[in-house]
Amino acid sequence: MKTITMAVLAVLAFTTAAPAQRACLTVNQIWTWKPLDRKTLIVEDTVHRKFKVSLYGPCPNIEYNLGAAFISRGNTQLDCLRPGDMVVHRGYGIGNRCPIKLVQPYTPAMQKADEATAATAKAQGNY
């Protein structure tokens, strides 16, 4: 009886302690995007989850572009967008390839902090 109880407790501990599922932005689920600045995009998927996509450096003219493609190094369109993948857009006839540094869920706290930073920059005339 003691052995069965220990086995049941082990199974319960394993199932309740399973790691939370990682948020994943898949290429085929991208719905919309907008630049936060020249090095950061806010990308929304088809189920309206927002992600903050940080780029390795400034992406020329991304703030003036209406269309972009997200290129994944994965095998399928179901792979998660990850560091090393690319954002490709055409700016003034020139194609720009901007490598992705980080993809993370865009939380309400992050959004509030970004809005406060933008408001401060606007108040100081740095927009």
Side-chain angles (χ1 to χ4, degrees):
M1 181 73 168
K2 187 176 180 180
T3 308
I4 293 173
T5 305
M6 293 300 282
V8 170
L9 288 175
V11 169
L12 288 174
F14 178 74
T15 56
T16 58
Q21 192 174 30
R22 183 175 64 110
C24 175
L25 174 60
T26 58
V27 176
N28 71 336
Q29 294 292 315
I30 293 174
W31 179 254
T32 187
W33 64 276
K34 67 177 182 173
L36 189 59
D37 56 37
R38 293 180 65 200
K39 296 194 301 189
T40 312
L41 304 175
I42 304 303
V43 181
E44 187 174 344
D45 68 8
T46 57
V47 291
H48 305 294
R49 294 179 303 172
K50 291 183 180 181
F51 295 84
K52 189 172 193 175
V53 177
S54 302
L55 307 174
Y56 272 105
C59 194
N61 301 316
I62 191 76
E63 64 272 21
Y64 303 114
N65 211 307
L66 299 177
F70 293 83
I71 309 296
S72 173
R73 296 176 296 136
N75 293 330
T76 70
Q77 291 288 312
L78 298 174
D79 287 325
C80 298
L81 203 62
R82 60 185 182 260
D85 291 344
M86 297 280 183
V87 176
V88 180
H89 75 97
R90 295 184 65 87
Y92 300 109
I94 301 170
N96 292 307
R97 300 176 66 84
C98 306
I100 295 172
K101 182 177 183 179
L102 180 65
V103 178
Q104 58 187 337
Y106 192 51
T107 64
M110 293 167 76
Q111 183 173 355
K112 189 174 182 180
D114 289 339
E115 289 169 354
T117 302
T120 302
K122 188 173 183 180
Q124 294 174 350
N126 298 331
Y127 53 95

